[in-house]
């Protein structure tokens, strides 16, 4: 769908849920503004909206944003985490299915407009598409490319060996990336491009499509002392910390609420430490490691960023931005 079609469909879906005054759209040049109950929102239409886009500051070229105007992100399908993030002030989202979280907060903190709806069935975009690069195998290939920008120029067979993805699929993914302008070809050499946006889209789709399939089990710390001294836990070989725990080990920026592990050995191996017990509601989540290599106690920075963004938690998102600025600057 074109941006105009997305906006039209989303506003129609919104109005179907409004039983009194309907929302209207007007334009400043080519920039759309939506007015609901006298409150004005600048519409940022993103067909493939990513959490990172919602968090980054709005560029000036979107149009004039005065003190009485708020930002509304409009997309085809908003994920539950996007709707959760939109509970924060000045972050609003609306999709074509009629899922939305929209609020208008005054500068003194008073909320004068709050609209929410979720659970509507996702809209299928029937527009012809290139190879779906953000599905499971594509996410594994792109992860490898994001870890080192030089990897995109390697032979397909080398990429296949590094990712465990069939050589035909590797070619399809890279062809799809060329189509979507994430890879450019010059003199028969490939280069990553639009890497900042690629990182954000990868992180969003990793949390949506691949991470849930990698989940293995949960544990809890045996007692509060074991939990408090988690940094002293000697992980079995083949296990790595991710998410909040990885950040805590790196710079102590946050105290973990969720303990994330990636493993290529049986999860029960962790019980040999004597620090944990099986618990389906435990704070330690174990996921299958899906890449090769790793000679530290933490997963690669690209994956730490994605884990943090996947939480839709304010303090974790702030930590993700620090990871992005300090360890992923080569992608910016």
């Amino acid at each position: 769908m074109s941006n105009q079609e997305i906006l039209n469909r989303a506003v129609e879906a919104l109005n179907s849920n409004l039983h009194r005054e309907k929302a209207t759209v007007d334009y400043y040049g080519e920039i759309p503004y939506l007015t609901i109950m006298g409150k004005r929102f600048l519409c940022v239409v993103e067909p493939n909206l990513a959490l990172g886009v919602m968090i980054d500051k709005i560029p000036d070229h979107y149009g004039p944003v005065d003190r009485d105007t708020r930002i509304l992100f409009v997309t085809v399908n908003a994920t539950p985490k996007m709707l959760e993030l939109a509970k924060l002030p000045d972050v609003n989202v609306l999709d074509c299915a009629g899922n939305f979280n929209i609020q208008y907060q005054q500068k003194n903190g008073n909320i004068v407009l709050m609209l929410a709806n979720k659970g509507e069935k996702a809209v299928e975009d029937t527009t012809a598409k290139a190879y779906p690069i953000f599905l499971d195998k594509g996410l594994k290939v792109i992860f490898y490319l994001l870890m080192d920008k030089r990897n995109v120029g390697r032979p397909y067979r080398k990429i296949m060996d590094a990712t465990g993805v069939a050589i035909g699929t590797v070619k399809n993914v890279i062809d799809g990336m060329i189509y979507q302008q994430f890879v450019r070809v010059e003199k028969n050499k490939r280069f990553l491009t639009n890497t900042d946006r690629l990182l954000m889209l990868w992180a969003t789709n990793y949390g949506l499509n691949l991470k849930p399939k990698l989940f293995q089990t949960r544990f809890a710390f045996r007692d509060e002392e074991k939990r408090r001294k988690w940094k002293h836990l000697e992980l079995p070989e083949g296990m790595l910390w991710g998410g909040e725990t990885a950040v805590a080990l790196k710079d102590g920026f946050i105290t973990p609420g969720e303990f994330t592990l990636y493993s290529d050995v049986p999860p029960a191996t962790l019980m040999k430490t004597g620090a944990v017990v099986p618990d389906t509601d435990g704070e330690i989540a174990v996921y299958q490691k899906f890449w090769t290599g790793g000679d530290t106690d933490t997963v690669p920075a690209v994956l730490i960023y994605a884990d943090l963004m996947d939480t839709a938690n304010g303090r974790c998102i702030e930590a993700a931005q620090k990871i992005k600025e300090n360890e992923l600057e080569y992608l910016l």
Side-chain angles (χ1 to χ4, degrees):
M1 285 186 281
S2 69
N3 283 7
Q4 188 61 58
E5 290 171 326
I6 292 170
L7 179 61
N8 291 345
R9 188 161 179 175
V11 173
E12 181 182 356
L14 171 64
N15 279 332
S16 70
N17 285 280
L18 299 180
H19 303 295
R20 295 196 294 173
E21 184 178 345
K22 303 297 185 182
T24 60
V25 176
D26 63 280
Y27 290 82
Y28 180 91
E30 296 183 354
I31 306 298
Y33 286 79
L34 183 137
T35 301
I36 313 174
M37 302 177 190
K39 303 306 176 185
R40 194 164 167 81
F41 296 81
L42 185 155
C43 298
V44 178
V45 182
E46 289 276 349
N48 298 302
L49 182 62
L51 284 172
V53 173
M54 297 175 66
I55 295 159
D56 284 351
K57 294 185 182 297
I58 305 301
D60 292 339
H61 68 259
Y62 278 133
V65 183
D66 57 39
R67 64 188 303 273
D68 296 322
T69 302
R70 304 294 183 266
I71 301 298
L72 173 64
F73 291 98
V74 184
T75 190
V76 177
N77 291 303
T79 66
K81 286 189 172 63
M82 291 175 187
L83 294 168
E84 183 69 22
L85 182 65
K87 292 179 181 179
L88 298 175
D90 298 327
V91 183
N92 304 283
V93 66
L94 164 67
D95 75 7
C96 293
N99 298 293
F100 50 85
N101 209 325
I102 302 171
Q103 62 176 304
Y104 188 98
Q105 185 175 112
Q106 294 178 325
K107 297 306 179 184
N108 62 9
N110 292 334
I111 297 176
V112 295
L113 172 67
M114 181 177 289
L115 301 170
N117 189 52
K118 62 181 180 179
E120 303 292 344
K121 186 177 180 181
V123 170
E124 182 179 356
D125 185 356
T126 57
T127 307
K129 300 175 183 176
Y131 186 86
I133 63 175
F134 292 113
L135 296 183
D136 298 6
K137 294 178 181 178
L139 289 167
K140 292 178 180 180
V141 171
I142 295 172
F143 178 69
Y144 175 70
L145 304 184
L146 287 172
M147 284 198 295
D148 186 336
K149 291 170 67 174
R150 295 171 296 181
N151 287 341
V152 72
R154 301 187 187 281
Y156 290 151
R157 188 164 295 280
K158 291 284 188 183
I159 299 174
M160 176 190 73
D161 291 341
T163 62
V165 173
I167 193 167
T169 302
V170 170
K171 182 181 184 305
N172 287 339
V173 171
I174 292 181
D175 285 348
M177 294 177 71
I178 293 172
Y179 178 83
Q180 297 190 37
Q181 299 182 351
F182 292 122
V183 172
R184 74 175 191 274
V185 180
E186 294 180 4
K187 298 180 180 180
N188 294 322
K189 293 184 178 181
R190 298 187 298 270
F191 302 90
L192 281 185
T193 187
N194 294 322
T195 47
D196 188 14
R197 180 170 177 78
L198 179 62
L199 173 65
M200 288 190 293
L201 287 173
W202 184 85
T204 297
N205 285 280
Y206 169 74
L208 186 65
N209 296 325
L210 182 55
K211 187 175 181 179
K213 299 175 184 177
L214 298 173
F215 176 75
Q216 294 184 314
T217 190
R218 282 186 174 273
F219 294 95
F221 287 103
R222 188 174 292 277
D223 52 48
E224 183 56 34
E225 183 180 4
K226 298 292 186 185
R227 189 183 196 279
R228 186 164 43 85
K229 295 183 177 180
W230 69 271
K231 288 185 180 181
H232 302 294
L233 182 65
E234 291 188 15
L235 293 179
E237 186 174 351
M239 286 189 177
L240 305 170
W241 291 113
E244 299 172 56
T245 39
V247 173
L249 284 173
K250 284 175 175 291
D251 59 17
F253 179 71
I254 59 176
T255 300
E258 173 90 355
F259 296 77
T260 303
L261 282 169
Y262 285 85
S263 177
D264 57 10
V265 297
T269 308
L270 188 62
M271 294 182 64
K272 294 181 180 179
T273 64
V276 304
V277 293
D279 187 338
T280 55
D281 296 318
E283 64 267 60
I284 306 169
V286 183
Y287 295 87
Q288 175 66 47
K289 185 169 175 279
F290 62 92
W291 70 99
T292 58
D295 53 2
T296 67
D297 289 337
T298 62
V299 303
V302 172
L303 185 52
I304 297 173
Y305 172 81
D307 278 341
L308 293 169
M309 293 294 289
D310 188 52
T311 65
N313 174 284
R315 68 189 180 91
C316 291
I317 288 168
E318 185 179 353
Q321 295 304 101
K322 287 184 177 292
I323 289 287
K324 183 178 176 181
E325 293 166 5
N326 298 331
E327 298 192 45
L328 300 174
E329 70 279 359
Y330 64 92
L331 295 174
L332 305 181

